Amino acid sequence: MSVLTIQPGESVDDFISRIANTAPEPSSRLLDRVRTLLAIEEPAVTPLCAAPSQITRAAA
């Protein structure tokens, strides 16, 4: 376990850069797992979703 500490006077951007620059390269297995976890499935567009509601049409 590691504890990451921002140094006194260090900006958030500098802290992030310092941590990113010292991190080991991720394995291809880890990258595949992250891609799987972050996969976004787009919902199918149905006519009900695509058509504006009567309230929206009345407001326009």
Side-chain angles (χ1 to χ4, degrees):
M1 179 172 156
S2 297
V3 176
L4 305 175
T5 307
I6 193 165
Q7 303 298 320
E10 184 176 38
S11 71
V12 173
D13 289 336
D14 290 340
F15 172 72
I16 292 170
S17 294
R18 179 171 55 88
I19 300 308
N21 292 336
T22 58
E25 289 294 319
S27 68
S28 59
R29 183 176 178 193
L30 174 62
L31 291 175
D32 289 342
R33 181 70 178 137
V34 170
R35 284 186 196 102
T36 301
L37 292 172
L38 296 177
I40 298 173
E41 295 182 21
E42 295 186 27
V45 177
T46 61
L48 180 60
C49 295
S53 69
Q54 290 178 342
I55 295 170
T56 305
R57 285 190 296 247

